[in-house]
Each structure stands twice: as structure tokens, then as C-alpha cells.
Amino acid sequence: MTKQERAARTRHALVKSAAAAFGACGYAEATLNMISAGAGVSAGALHFHFENKAAVGLAVEGAAARALRGLAADVYAARKSGLQALTDTSYALAQALRTDQVVRAGFRLGREAAFETSCDLRGEWRRHVGLLLAEAAEEGTLLPGVSLRDAVAVVVAATTGLEVLGRDDPEWISHRSLTGFWRVVLPCLAAPEALDVLGAGAGPPGPGPGPGIGWSRDSLSRAGRRGCGLPHPSP
């Protein structure tokens, strides 16, 4: 292993250790000794890579931002429609929050009064939701009369709330909880003809757990004609 490879491995271990420490006790209470010990390196090794705790926090936040931008870009590149990309990205985000402590810590840092954030992850999510819903409006897949501003507000508020609640109870960011959210919300957003496609395909991109939204064509069509409401999932 070269010197550069060892340095990169140490930095990566420090970022992961810091994310675990921030997640366990918050930014203000986490110490550099906790972070270096968690990474299995000396305090001197930590200071070789990071000047202070703020620099470590920025590294964690930056790593979380890169991970989230990467998953959003992957879903966007394979999108079939704006609404499909929106639901798929939400599942990918929820999976990252469940499985990646760096992503979880990046979001938590944005709520920490003691930490000066360099990138607003929730703001980036809000802008991405706006982009995808604007695409859906241009495609004609939103219900007539749906306010784009209101739609963005509802999706962002609900998904951000799930992320906050999921910090203490992972069930809030489970596949089941997110599917329940989309079952309620999509009939309020999507035109009837778009619901057929979303019902068949919505869910985590690539190989993922479980089915997508999972409605029958008839129940989706009934929901679309009503314009809003909760159809009964197909048996």
C-alpha cells in the first residue's frame, strides 16, 4: 500500500468515525478524541488530516452530499418520467438514510446549531424535488390545477419529516412507510394515465427490496378519476 493510499484510508476511517460520533451524541458533544479512537488512529493522525472538529464536520457533510448527488444523478439518468424519478429518488434516499451513517450524519449536521454548514442538504433535496415536479408539469403528468409550489411543499415537508422521525425509529424511513406515503400522495398529484405507469414501476431503482407502489390498474384509475384519495391496494 502506498503512502497516498494509507492516507486516503485513514481519512475515510476518520470521516466514518466522526459520522458515528455525531450520530450518537451530536456535533457539540462529540470530541476529537472520540473520533480518532473510533477510527483506530492517534490524535496526531487526525490533526494531520483535519485542523479542528469543524473541518471534520465539513468533511462528513461533504461526503454525504456527494453520496446523495450521486444517487440522484443515477436515478435521473435512467428516468422515464419526472414523477417516476421523484418516487425512485425518494426510495434511494430512504435506503441511504437506513444504511449509510455518513448520509444520516450529514443531514443531522444541518440541524446542529453548533455547526456552520457549508451545503444545505435539505435545500438541495427541495430544489431536486422542484426540478422533477417541474418536469412532470411539462410532460403533462400532473393533475390539471395542481399547484407546482404546493406540490413541492407537500413532498418536501413530508419526506423531510420522515427523515427526522427516522433518526429515532427507522420504521419511518422503511420501504413500507415510504410506499404508504406515495399511495396517499400520488393520486393527488398524477394525472390518471400517469398513475398506471407509476403503479407498475415505482419503487427503489435497480435491485431493491419488495415491490413498488403495488396498486392494480383499476384502483389507480379510480383514484385518478377522484383526483385525490387512498385507493385500496391490490391483494
Side-chain angles (χ1 to χ4, degrees):
M1 183 186 300
T2 67
K3 185 176 181 180
Q4 290 80 5
E5 289 172 336
R6 284 196 299 272
R9 178 172 292 187
T10 299
R11 182 182 177 89
H12 179 69
L14 286 165
V15 169
K16 288 191 67 175
S17 177
F22 297 154
C25 58
Y27 175 81
E29 297 300 322
T31 67
L32 292 178
N33 284 338
M34 290 170 55
I35 294 168
S36 60
V41 303
S42 67
L46 184 151
H47 285 288
F48 175 81
H49 290 276
F50 301 107
E51 181 180 0
N52 49 39
K53 188 167 69 171
V56 182
L58 291 173
V60 171
E61 187 178 53
R66 288 190 295 275
L68 292 170
R69 291 166 188 163
L71 69 83
D74 288 344
V75 173
Y76 191 76
R79 73 193 184 283
K80 296 179 181 178
S81 69
L83 285 177
Q84 187 75 63
L86 177 59
T87 58
D88 286 352
T89 306
S90 72
Y91 280 102
L93 172 59
Q95 183 172 350
L97 288 168
R98 292 193 303 271
T99 61
D100 191 332
Q101 64 184 356
V102 173
V103 170
R104 289 195 301 272
F107 273 93
R108 175 166 180 166
L109 284 169
R111 303 193 300 270
E112 296 271 4
F115 178 72
E116 187 173 349
T117 182
S118 65
C119 55
D120 180 6
L121 295 183
R122 289 180 182 80
E124 289 195 20
W125 172 239
R126 181 175 62 251
R127 288 188 290 273
H128 194 65
V129 170
L131 166 70
L132 296 176
L133 284 173
E135 285 196 4
E138 292 177 1
E139 294 163 354
T141 54
L142 291 185
L143 276 174
V146 168
S147 162
L148 186 58
R149 179 177 179 179
D150 290 347
V152 172
V154 167
V155 172
V156 171
T159 52
T160 301
L162 292 175
E163 178 264 318
V164 173
L165 292 167
R167 172 183 163 189
D168 296 320
D169 182 1
E171 176 60 25
W172 284 102
I173 50 175
S174 67
H175 183 280
R176 182 175 66 176
S177 293
L178 193 56
T179 297
F181 164 72
W182 285 120
R183 280 177 172 165
V184 173
V185 170
L186 278 176
C188 301
L189 295 179
E193 59 273 17
L195 282 172
D196 287 340
V197 177
L198 289 166
I213 300 301
W215 292 334
S216 68
R217 178 179 295 269
D218 289 342
S219 65
L220 287 166
S221 298
R222 290 195 300 271
R225 287 196 296 271
R226 288 197 304 270
C228 189
L230 178 61
H232 298 290
S234 56

